[in-house]
mmCIF file of all heavy atoms in Angstrom:
data_model
loop_
_atom_site.group_PDB
_atom_site.id
_atom_site.type_symbol
_atom_site.label_atom_id
_atom_site.label_comp_id
_atom_site.label_asym_id
_atom_site.label_seq_id
_atom_site.Cartn_x
_atom_site.Cartn_y
_atom_site.Cartn_z
ATOM 1 N N GLU J 1187 2.278 17.385 9.555
ATOM 2 C CA GLU J 1187 3.524 16.766 9.855
ATOM 3 C C GLU J 1187 3.633 16.300 11.252
ATOM 4 O O GLU J 1187 4.226 15.167 11.579
ATOM 5 C CB GLU J 1187 4.625 17.776 9.575
ATOM 6 C CG GLU J 1187 6.000 17.195 9.575
ATOM 7 C CD GLU J 1187 7.052 18.133 8.966
ATOM 8 O OE1 GLU J 1187 6.779 19.008 8.253
ATOM 9 O OE2 GLU J 1187 8.278 17.875 9.447
ATOM 10 N N GLU J 1188 3.325 17.046 12.226
ATOM 11 C CA GLU J 1188 3.344 16.547 13.662
ATOM 12 C C GLU J 1188 2.475 15.288 13.886
ATOM 13 O O GLU J 1188 2.869 14.468 14.740
ATOM 14 C CB GLU J 1188 3.019 17.760 14.611
ATOM 15 C CG GLU J 1188 4.088 18.699 14.901
ATOM 16 C CD GLU J 1188 5.322 18.074 15.412
ATOM 17 O OE1 GLU J 1188 5.316 17.294 16.395
ATOM 18 O OE2 GLU J 1188 6.363 18.220 14.681
ATOM 19 N N GLU J 1189 1.346 15.199 13.284
ATOM 20 C CA GLU J 1189 0.515 14.009 13.479
ATOM 21 C C GLU J 1189 1.139 12.883 12.725
ATOM 22 O O GLU J 1189 1.102 11.710 13.228
ATOM 23 C CB GLU J 1189 -0.909 14.258 12.868
ATOM 24 C CG GLU J 1189 -1.666 15.233 13.661
ATOM 25 C CD GLU J 1189 -2.972 15.798 12.970
ATOM 26 O OE1 GLU J 1189 -2.851 15.984 11.636
ATOM 27 O OE2 GLU J 1189 -3.902 16.016 13.663
ATOM 28 N N LEU J 1190 1.828 13.005 11.633
ATOM 29 C CA LEU J 1190 2.562 12.031 11.028
ATOM 30 C C LEU J 1190 3.685 11.537 11.722
ATOM 31 O O LEU J 1190 4.034 10.275 11.866
ATOM 32 C CB LEU J 1190 3.099 12.437 9.568
ATOM 33 C CG LEU J 1190 2.203 12.420 8.477
ATOM 34 C CD1 LEU J 1190 2.877 12.839 7.095
ATOM 35 C CD2 LEU J 1190 1.586 11.059 8.250
ATOM 36 N N LYS J 1191 4.445 12.402 12.425
ATOM 37 C CA LYS J 1191 5.508 11.993 13.361
ATOM 38 C C LYS J 1191 5.187 10.933 14.332
ATOM 39 O O LYS J 1191 5.891 9.996 14.642
ATOM 40 C CB LYS J 1191 6.086 13.179 13.950
ATOM 41 C CG LYS J 1191 7.454 13.003 14.723
ATOM 42 C CD LYS J 1191 8.002 14.296 15.145
ATOM 43 C CE LYS J 1191 9.356 14.147 15.494
ATOM 44 N NZ LYS J 1191 10.341 13.675 14.522
ATOM 45 N N LEU J 1192 3.891 11.036 14.781
ATOM 46 C CA LEU J 1192 3.363 10.162 15.877
ATOM 47 C C LEU J 1192 2.462 9.087 15.232
ATOM 48 O O LEU J 1192 1.736 8.422 16.018
ATOM 49 C CB LEU J 1192 2.571 10.988 16.787
ATOM 50 C CG LEU J 1192 3.338 12.057 17.552
ATOM 51 C CD1 LEU J 1192 2.475 12.896 18.494
ATOM 52 C CD2 LEU J 1192 4.589 11.574 18.270
ATOM 53 N N PHE J 1193 2.586 8.789 13.949
ATOM 54 C CA PHE J 1193 1.686 7.977 13.204
ATOM 55 C C PHE J 1193 1.674 6.554 13.810
ATOM 56 O O PHE J 1193 0.643 5.945 13.963
ATOM 57 C CB PHE J 1193 2.157 7.799 11.830
ATOM 58 C CG PHE J 1193 1.472 6.865 10.941
ATOM 59 C CD1 PHE J 1193 0.192 7.123 10.494
ATOM 60 C CD2 PHE J 1193 1.910 5.657 10.645
ATOM 61 C CE1 PHE J 1193 -0.506 6.222 9.744
ATOM 62 C CE2 PHE J 1193 1.283 4.710 9.901
ATOM 63 C CZ PHE J 1193 -0.025 4.993 9.477
ATOM 64 N N LEU J 1194 2.824 5.931 14.181
ATOM 65 C CA LEU J 1194 2.998 4.613 14.615
ATOM 66 C C LEU J 1194 2.261 4.452 16.007
ATOM 67 O O LEU J 1194 1.692 3.386 16.308
ATOM 68 C CB LEU J 1194 4.374 4.098 14.752
ATOM 69 C CG LEU J 1194 5.080 3.987 13.426
ATOM 70 C CD1 LEU J 1194 6.648 3.653 13.694
ATOM 71 C CD2 LEU J 1194 4.478 3.031 12.451
ATOM 72 N N GLN J 1195 2.194 5.501 16.762
ATOM 73 C CA GLN J 1195 1.562 5.500 18.104
ATOM 74 C C GLN J 1195 0.072 5.324 18.035
ATOM 75 O O GLN J 1195 -0.629 5.067 18.986
ATOM 76 C CB GLN J 1195 1.971 6.694 18.881
ATOM 77 C CG GLN J 1195 3.425 6.655 19.276
ATOM 78 C CD GLN J 1195 3.948 7.864 19.907
ATOM 79 O OE1 GLN J 1195 3.232 8.813 20.068
ATOM 80 N NE2 GLN J 1195 5.260 7.926 20.051
ATOM 81 N N ASN J 1196 -0.529 5.533 16.789
ATOM 82 C CA ASN J 1196 -1.921 5.231 16.591
ATOM 83 C C ASN J 1196 -2.268 3.772 16.568
ATOM 84 O O ASN J 1196 -3.388 3.279 16.777
ATOM 85 C CB ASN J 1196 -2.477 5.938 15.214
ATOM 86 C CG ASN J 1196 -2.457 7.376 15.316
ATOM 87 O OD1 ASN J 1196 -3.240 7.967 16.042
ATOM 88 N ND2 ASN J 1196 -1.527 8.043 14.618
ATOM 89 N N PHE J 1197 -1.174 2.992 16.415
ATOM 90 C CA PHE J 1197 -1.350 1.577 16.385
ATOM 91 C C PHE J 1197 -1.028 0.861 17.700
ATOM 92 O O PHE J 1197 -1.392 -0.120 18.159
ATOM 93 C CB PHE J 1197 -0.379 0.848 15.288
ATOM 94 C CG PHE J 1197 -0.862 1.391 13.923
ATOM 95 C CD1 PHE J 1197 -0.488 2.476 13.323
ATOM 96 C CD2 PHE J 1197 -1.759 0.432 13.104
ATOM 97 C CE1 PHE J 1197 -0.869 2.806 12.013
ATOM 98 C CE2 PHE J 1197 -2.136 0.797 11.893
ATOM 99 C CZ PHE J 1197 -1.706 2.013 11.297
ATOM 100 N N SER J 1198 0.014 1.609 18.462
ATOM 101 C CA SER J 1198 0.397 1.044 19.689
ATOM 102 C C SER J 1198 0.989 2.349 20.395
ATOM 103 O O SER J 1198 1.887 2.900 19.999
ATOM 104 C CB SER J 1198 1.480 0.044 19.657
ATOM 105 O OG SER J 1198 1.959 -0.244 20.929
ATOM 106 N N ALA J 1199 0.523 2.519 21.704
ATOM 107 C CA ALA J 1199 1.031 3.689 22.552
ATOM 108 C C ALA J 1199 2.476 3.674 22.732
ATOM 109 O O ALA J 1199 3.154 4.608 22.909
ATOM 110 C CB ALA J 1199 0.236 3.773 23.786
ATOM 111 N N SER J 1200 2.965 2.431 22.632
ATOM 112 C CA SER J 1200 4.421 2.283 23.093
ATOM 113 C C SER J 1200 5.373 2.429 21.815
ATOM 114 O O SER J 1200 6.509 2.283 21.890
ATOM 115 C CB SER J 1200 4.689 0.974 23.811
ATOM 116 O OG SER J 1200 4.301 -0.093 22.989
ATOM 117 N N ALA J 1201 4.720 2.505 20.716
ATOM 118 C CA ALA J 1201 5.526 2.519 19.358
ATOM 119 C C ALA J 1201 6.370 3.880 19.332
ATOM 120 O O ALA J 1201 6.045 4.796 20.021
ATOM 121 C CB ALA J 1201 4.635 2.526 18.209
ATOM 122 N N ARG J 1202 7.351 3.772 18.720
ATOM 123 C CA ARG J 1202 8.420 4.881 18.580
ATOM 124 C C ARG J 1202 7.752 6.065 17.593
ATOM 125 O O ARG J 1202 6.845 5.775 16.872
ATOM 126 C CB ARG J 1202 9.613 4.505 17.996
ATOM 127 C CG ARG J 1202 9.601 4.114 16.489
ATOM 128 C CD ARG J 1202 11.007 3.760 15.934
ATOM 129 N NE ARG J 1202 10.882 3.408 14.537
ATOM 130 C CZ ARG J 1202 11.163 4.299 13.522
ATOM 131 N NH1 ARG J 1202 11.216 5.543 13.765
ATOM 132 N NH2 ARG J 1202 11.033 3.859 12.291
ATOM 133 N N ALA J 1203 8.277 7.299 17.779
ATOM 134 C CA ALA J 1203 7.891 8.271 16.865
ATOM 135 C C ALA J 1203 8.770 8.090 15.514
ATOM 136 O O ALA J 1203 9.812 7.612 15.635
ATOM 137 C CB ALA J 1203 8.156 9.681 17.490
ATOM 138 N N LEU J 1204 8.183 8.593 14.416
ATOM 139 C CA LEU J 1204 9.017 8.483 13.271
ATOM 140 C C LEU J 1204 10.046 9.557 13.346
ATOM 141 O O LEU J 1204 9.960 10.685 14.047
ATOM 142 C CB LEU J 1204 8.097 8.842 12.040
ATOM 143 C CG LEU J 1204 7.026 7.854 11.717
ATOM 144 C CD1 LEU J 1204 6.205 8.300 10.601
ATOM 145 C CD2 LEU J 1204 7.553 6.436 11.490
ATOM 146 N N THR J 1205 11.261 9.317 12.693
ATOM 147 C CA THR J 1205 12.306 10.278 12.644
ATOM 148 C C THR J 1205 11.803 11.424 11.714
ATOM 149 O O THR J 1205 10.963 11.373 10.949
ATOM 150 C CB THR J 1205 13.578 9.692 12.087
ATOM 151 O OG1 THR J 1205 13.357 9.450 10.724
ATOM 152 C CG2 THR J 1205 14.075 8.447 12.792
ATOM 153 N N ASP J 1206 12.586 12.536 11.853
ATOM 154 C CA ASP J 1206 12.288 13.698 11.055
ATOM 155 C C ASP J 1206 12.374 13.231 9.491
ATOM 156 O O ASP J 1206 11.505 13.665 8.677
ATOM 157 C CB ASP J 1206 13.143 14.867 11.177
ATOM 158 C CG ASP J 1206 12.901 15.578 12.567
ATOM 159 O OD1 ASP J 1206 11.807 15.366 13.157
ATOM 160 O OD2 ASP J 1206 13.780 16.273 12.987
ATOM 161 N N LYS J 1207 13.314 12.473 9.136
ATOM 162 C CA LYS J 1207 13.588 12.021 7.711
ATOM 163 C C LYS J 1207 12.324 11.166 7.304
ATOM 164 O O LYS J 1207 11.817 11.330 6.234
ATOM 165 C CB LYS J 1207 14.789 11.213 7.661
ATOM 166 C CG LYS J 1207 15.099 10.670 6.271
ATOM 167 C CD LYS J 1207 16.414 9.798 6.279
ATOM 168 C CE LYS J 1207 16.603 9.075 4.913
ATOM 169 N NZ LYS J 1207 17.492 7.931 4.987
ATOM 170 N N GLU J 1208 11.873 10.144 8.095
ATOM 171 C CA GLU J 1208 10.889 9.334 7.818
ATOM 172 C C GLU J 1208 9.546 10.183 7.650
ATOM 173 O O GLU J 1208 8.795 9.987 6.807
ATOM 174 C CB GLU J 1208 10.572 8.326 8.944
ATOM 175 C CG GLU J 1208 11.653 7.238 8.935
ATOM 176 C CD GLU J 1208 11.540 6.397 10.157
ATOM 177 O OE1 GLU J 1208 11.246 6.900 11.215
ATOM 178 O OE2 GLU J 1208 11.736 5.139 10.042
ATOM 179 N N THR J 1209 9.418 11.130 8.618
ATOM 180 C CA THR J 1209 8.136 11.953 8.495
ATOM 181 C C THR J 1209 8.089 12.824 7.249
ATOM 182 O O THR J 1209 7.046 12.818 6.695
ATOM 183 C CB THR J 1209 8.166 12.911 9.791
ATOM 184 O OG1 THR J 1209 8.083 12.146 11.021
ATOM 185 C CG2 THR J 1209 6.872 13.721 9.847
ATOM 186 N N LYS J 1210 9.134 13.411 6.908
ATOM 187 C CA LYS J 1210 9.188 14.192 5.655
ATOM 188 C C LYS J 1210 9.051 13.401 4.369
ATOM 189 O O LYS J 1210 8.308 13.850 3.489
ATOM 190 C CB LYS J 1210 10.519 15.008 5.696
ATOM 191 C CG LYS J 1210 10.601 16.126 6.654
ATOM 192 C CD LYS J 1210 11.853 16.954 6.504
ATOM 193 C CE LYS J 1210 11.871 18.014 7.603
ATOM 194 N NZ LYS J 1210 10.763 18.655 8.084
ATOM 195 N N GLU J 1211 9.611 12.158 4.439
ATOM 196 C CA GLU J 1211 9.449 11.230 3.203
ATOM 197 C C GLU J 1211 7.920 10.822 3.151
ATOM 198 O O GLU J 1211 7.313 10.762 2.066
ATOM 199 C CB GLU J 1211 10.378 10.036 3.431
ATOM 200 C CG GLU J 1211 11.726 10.397 3.106
ATOM 201 C CD GLU J 1211 12.826 9.223 3.371
ATOM 202 O OE1 GLU J 1211 12.329 8.183 3.815
ATOM 203 O OE2 GLU J 1211 13.917 9.433 3.118
ATOM 204 N N PHE J 1212 7.362 10.519 4.295
ATOM 205 C CA PHE J 1212 5.893 10.017 4.338
ATOM 206 C C PHE J 1212 5.007 11.061 3.891
ATOM 207 O O PHE J 1212 4.152 10.852 3.142
ATOM 208 C CB PHE J 1212 5.666 9.614 5.883
ATOM 209 C CG PHE J 1212 4.398 8.862 6.117
ATOM 210 C CD1 PHE J 1212 3.676 8.209 5.090
ATOM 211 C CD2 PHE J 1212 4.077 8.627 7.457
ATOM 212 C CE1 PHE J 1212 2.581 7.543 5.302
ATOM 213 C CE2 PHE J 1212 2.840 7.944 7.719
ATOM 214 C CZ PHE J 1212 2.129 7.332 6.563
ATOM 215 N N LEU J 1213 5.342 12.333 4.403
ATOM 216 C CA LEU J 1213 4.524 13.478 4.008
ATOM 217 C C LEU J 1213 4.643 13.706 2.473
ATOM 218 O O LEU J 1213 3.722 13.941 1.772
ATOM 219 C CB LEU J 1213 4.886 14.750 4.778
ATOM 220 C CG LEU J 1213 4.116 16.046 4.451
ATOM 221 C CD1 LEU J 1213 2.701 15.835 4.682
ATOM 222 C CD2 LEU J 1213 4.772 17.200 5.233
ATOM 223 N N ALA J 1214 5.825 13.706 1.972
ATOM 224 C CA ALA J 1214 6.105 13.961 0.571
ATOM 225 C C ALA J 1214 5.413 12.907 -0.312
ATOM 226 O O ALA J 1214 4.806 13.183 -1.361
ATOM 227 C CB ALA J 1214 7.607 13.941 0.199
ATOM 228 N N ALA J 1215 5.307 11.665 0.051
ATOM 229 C CA ALA J 1215 4.703 10.553 -0.585
ATOM 230 C C ALA J 1215 3.263 10.734 -0.723
ATOM 231 O O ALA J 1215 2.561 10.395 -1.705
ATOM 232 C CB ALA J 1215 5.032 9.134 0.078
ATOM 233 N N GLY J 1216 2.616 11.327 0.302
ATOM 234 C CA GLY J 1216 1.143 11.404 0.451
ATOM 235 C C GLY J 1216 0.579 12.801 0.026
ATOM 236 O O GLY J 1216 -0.549 12.847 -0.332
ATOM 237 N N ASP J 1217 1.403 13.807 0.070
ATOM 238 C CA ASP J 1217 0.928 15.114 -0.204
ATOM 239 C C ASP J 1217 1.037 15.467 -1.691
ATOM 240 O O ASP J 1217 1.872 16.247 -2.215
ATOM 241 C CB ASP J 1217 1.791 16.125 0.536
ATOM 242 C CG ASP J 1217 1.341 17.570 0.474
ATOM 243 O OD1 ASP J 1217 0.206 17.810 -0.035
ATOM 244 O OD2 ASP J 1217 2.187 18.418 0.714
ATOM 245 N N SER J 1218 0.080 14.938 -2.434
ATOM 246 C CA SER J 1218 -0.006 15.096 -3.889
ATOM 247 C C SER J 1218 -0.244 16.393 -4.432
ATOM 248 O O SER J 1218 0.168 16.884 -5.514
ATOM 249 C CB SER J 1218 -0.999 14.177 -4.569
ATOM 250 O OG SER J 1218 -2.276 14.437 -4.223
ATOM 251 N N ASP J 1219 -0.918 17.351 -3.565
ATOM 252 C CA ASP J 1219 -1.124 18.545 -4.070
ATOM 253 C C ASP J 1219 -0.199 19.727 -3.460
ATOM 254 O O ASP J 1219 -0.325 20.933 -3.690
ATOM 255 C CB ASP J 1219 -2.613 19.105 -3.762
ATOM 256 C CG ASP J 1219 -2.915 19.006 -2.369
ATOM 257 O OD1 ASP J 1219 -2.149 18.849 -1.448
ATOM 258 O OD2 ASP J 1219 -4.178 19.277 -1.992
ATOM 259 N N ALA J 1220 0.811 19.186 -2.706
ATOM 260 C CA ALA J 1220 1.979 19.908 -2.291
ATOM 261 C C ALA J 1220 1.435 21.219 -1.333
ATOM 262 O O ALA J 1220 2.056 22.249 -1.321
ATOM 263 C CB ALA J 1220 2.733 20.508 -3.398
ATOM 264 N N ASP J 1221 0.383 20.894 -0.505
ATOM 265 C CA ASP J 1221 0.002 21.942 0.464
ATOM 266 C C ASP J 1221 0.522 21.653 1.828
ATOM 267 O O ASP J 1221 0.126 22.494 2.805
ATOM 268 C CB ASP J 1221 -1.541 22.006 0.543
ATOM 269 C CG ASP J 1221 -2.247 20.697 0.985
ATOM 270 O OD1 ASP J 1221 -1.532 19.697 1.295
ATOM 271 O OD2 ASP J 1221 -3.521 20.688 1.095
ATOM 272 N N GLY J 1222 1.440 20.811 2.039
ATOM 273 C CA GLY J 1222 2.071 20.505 3.268
ATOM 274 C C GLY J 1222 1.368 19.621 4.262
ATOM 275 O O GLY J 1222 1.705 19.627 5.484
#
């Protein structure tokens, strides 16, 4: 989750962090085995 929060910064150091809501939605979309 913490790495996802900073996901956009992997594309540009000045990009914003994802909000908690965005991070949780992104994680839920990708975490098909529900291991967090």
Side-chain angles (χ1 to χ4, degrees):
E1187 191 169 337
E1188 280 305 307
E1189 291 166 322
L1190 275 183
K1191 188 169 195 63
L1192 303 177
F1193 177 77
L1194 296 176
Q1195 294 172 5
N1196 290 292
F1197 293 86
S1198 172
S1200 62
R1202 69 177 181 88
L1204 296 179
T1205 65
D1206 289 342
K1207 177 184 173 198
E1208 289 170 321
T1209 303
K1210 289 184 186 319
E1211 288 173 355
F1212 196 10
L1213 180 60
D1217 183 18
S1218 61
D1219 62 5
D1221 64 355

